[in-house]
Amino acid sequence: MFRFLYQPSVISLLCCSAQIGQEKVDVKKNGAVHNKTQSADPSPPNPVLPEIILAMRSVIPHLVHQARFQWFDAACAVQKQSQQRKCPMSTLISIATAIPDHRITQAEVLAVLAQARGAALPARLAQILGNSGIEQRYLACEAEFYLQPRSWASRAAIYDQVGTGLAHKVARDALDKATLMPTDIDAIVLISTTGTMTPSIPSRMIEAMGFDQSTQTIPVFGYGCAGSVLGLRLANDLAAANGGQNVLMIALELCSLSYDYSQFDKKNMIATALFADGCAAAVISGKAGQSIAPSFRAFGQKTWPSTRDMMGWDIGATGFDLVLARDIPTFVTKDFAPYCDSFLAAHSLLMSDLSEPACHPGGGRVVEALEAYFAPEIDGIAATREILRQHGNMSSPTVLFVLEQLLARTPEKPILLTALGPGFTAALAILDPAGAA
């Protein structure tokens, strides 16, 4: 709605007319000045009021005419801003993924841990591993490495060595798929919650990979499993800057660095059963002429109060200690689902308008809760299940693995991206397929 612009002359005259019955007016009569208080009673007649009315009649049409033009100018400005907000968002030019060398099955996890402990494992751990929906995972190191006493120094060294290598690989692959050179990139975003370095990996990539020295680098820590969807939103905003930019976003997680076999409480059993290592990159562009690529329509984020204990890290003496205190599948049903409904409604979308969503899987029970939410309009989230089965929960990169698989099918309907992470936070995005209006 447009507000009528403030016009001092009109307002002053209207106030004078409205308040004349309560004001003192100096009236000159027979050469003397008399102070008279005018009441709202029409009698006796006010000798000044007719003159005011005549003045208003002669002045107001001109002022209203002038105000109309100012209102029209304001309306045009707001409409222009609205049109700018509705302009196509950034495009997703390419996705690349990478995994470390060391593959391990769930059965091998049980055998290695039992051998290391010299005793039978808790029955609960075998049950969690069996119900995880995971067959195999990839880790930064051989399994025996994680049986050594954990320390910040040893885990940081692995993050540097293996993490940097994976980040470089996905960056090269994503640029190759986008047919871009490192010098074509204006900003590099790194999403990572399982390690950190100073200078950051993006800063080190400038010289190592030949990016321009003016390339903006943005390392982001703390998004956890919601990292890729929130990172895409950040990359989208950066891509819109300066008349359009090319942004390289990298999601790197070495979740295995938090393993601590010496602790076998419930949350560490879950970590051992679910989490894995991986890396993904995406090139996002705000430059013109990218209509043949998928484009983002909208992003959403919600953080619920009093939920910080649901997921996160405690800084332990020897490494990151997992915080995982609530039933996430139940949260999906009771809290995430209504929020997702409102997000879709805000963008005039029904569940039947969507192709298969790209979801961060979490674990087997989380996938089941998501499938129950999408049913019956969407018959399962097969790509999400497959990535979980083959790679486990890699935290932030996982949803990009899923999205890469879905885009290979050339979908005709919008793709909903979903992820849940520390906060406790939901992250959503809508990606329109290539060529969509």
Side-chain angles (χ1 to χ4, degrees):
M1 295 178 64
F2 303 113
R3 294 184 178 179
F4 187 82
L5 298 182
Y6 173 64
Q7 278 289 340
S9 299
V10 174
I11 300 299
S12 298
L13 287 171
L14 293 178
C15 289
C16 178
S17 175
Q19 297 175 3
I20 194 69
Q22 299 298 324
E23 293 180 355
K24 289 186 177 181
V25 181
D26 292 339
V27 180
K28 191 172 183 179
K29 184 177 181 181
N30 297 328
V33 176
H34 302 271
N35 291 327
K36 299 179 64 177
T37 301
Q38 305 294 333
S39 67
D41 191 338
S43 60
N46 184 347
V48 179
L49 187 57
E51 297 178 10
I52 294 175
I53 293 174
L54 288 174
M56 290 174 65
R57 285 178 177 175
S58 63
V59 173
I60 283 179
H62 171 72
L63 294 176
V64 170
H65 181 71
Q66 181 183 13
R68 283 175 178 169
F69 278 104
Q70 293 184 357
W71 179 90
F72 180 76
D73 289 341
C76 290
V78 174
Q79 184 180 24
K80 183 179 180 180
Q81 292 173 359
S82 178
Q83 289 172 343
Q84 289 173 345
R85 287 193 296 267
K86 293 179 181 178
C87 286
M89 300 176 77
S90 68
T91 50
L92 178 62
I93 308 301
S94 66
I95 295 177
T97 57
I99 49 178
D101 297 331
H102 306 288
R103 174 182 173 273
I104 190 167
T105 66
Q106 296 294 71
E108 290 170 339
V109 171
L110 283 171
V112 169
L113 291 176
Q115 180 181 1
R117 289 175 63 86
L121 294 175
R124 178 63 174 156
L125 177 58
Q127 182 182 3
I128 292 173
L129 284 165
N131 295 335
S132 65
I134 300 168
E135 290 184 6
Q136 64 178 24
R137 288 171 282 167
Y138 293 86
L139 307 179
C141 301
E142 294 282 1
E144 289 72 21
F145 170 82
Y146 303 100
L147 302 179
Q148 301 171 17
R150 191 177 67 167
S151 73
W152 282 107
S154 64
R155 302 300 165 99
I158 297 301
Y159 183 85
D160 184 352
Q161 177 186 350
V162 178
T164 298
L166 290 173
H168 284 204
K169 183 181 189 310
V170 295
R172 285 193 300 267
D173 292 348
L175 290 174
D176 287 345
K177 290 182 179 181
T179 63
L180 294 175
M181 300 294 293
T183 51
D184 295 320
I185 296 298
D186 300 291
I188 305 171
V189 176
L190 175 72
I191 305 297
S192 189
T193 306
T194 51
T196 185
M197 295 166 58
T198 303
S200 67
I201 287 178
S203 296
R204 300 180 188 206
M205 290 171 64
I206 300 294
E207 181 179 4
M209 297 188 65
F211 290 92
D212 192 89
Q213 294 178 8
S214 64
T215 305
Q216 186 179 4
T217 57
I218 308 99
V220 180
F221 180 91
Y223 281 165
C225 295
S228 275
V229 180
L230 296 177
L232 287 171
R233 183 177 191 173
L234 173 59
N236 174 79
D237 293 343
L238 290 167
N242 300 322
Q245 299 191 127
N246 291 326
V247 181
L248 173 65
M249 190 207 79
I250 301 170
L252 166 67
E253 304 292 2
L254 302 183
C255 302
S256 66
L257 298 184
S258 68
Y259 292 167
D260 187 358
Y261 86 97
S262 65
Q263 300 183 53
F264 266 78
D265 55 10
K266 180 179 179 181
K267 62 185 179 183
N268 277 284
M269 286 192 285
I270 292 174
T272 303
L274 294 179
F275 291 110
D277 302 337
C279 189
V283 174
I284 297 93
S285 179
K287 295 182 180 291
Q290 305 287 351
S291 59
I292 61 172
S295 60
F296 290 103
R297 183 189 303 195
F299 291 92
Q301 179 178 356
K302 179 175 181 177
T303 301
W304 281 263
S306 304
T307 57
R308 284 189 300 171
D309 64 338
M310 288 188 66
M311 182 182 293
W313 291 134
D314 278 335
I315 308 301
T318 60
F320 292 121
D321 291 334
L322 180 66
V323 173
L324 195 65
R326 295 196 194 179
D327 186 354
I328 295 177
T330 300
F331 183 89
V332 169
T333 302
K334 292 185 177 180
D335 299 280
F336 170 77
Y339 169 60
C340 195
D341 284 340
S342 64
F343 175 77
L344 292 174
H347 297 284
S348 303
L349 286 171
L350 301 173
M351 202 76 75
S352 57
D353 296 326
L354 303 174
S355 60
E356 181 182 328
C359 303
H360 174 76
R365 292 181 58 227
V366 174
V367 173
E368 291 173 0
L370 288 168
E371 286 184 326
Y373 165 60
F374 291 128
E377 291 87 350
I378 296 174
D379 185 18
I381 46 177
T384 298
R385 277 193 175 276
E386 178 64 12
I387 295 300
L388 179 66
R389 186 176 70 85
Q390 293 291 337
H391 298 280
N393 181 342
M394 299 172 284
S395 189
S396 66
T398 314
V399 73
L400 287 178
F401 278 69
V402 177
L403 183 59
E404 181 183 39
Q405 189 174 113
L406 291 174
L407 289 175
R409 306 175 187 173
T410 60
E412 297 181 354
K413 295 180 179 181
I415 297 175
L416 174 70
L417 284 69
T418 77
L420 294 168
F424 197 63
T425 296
L428 300 174
I430 300 169
L431 182 70
D432 288 314

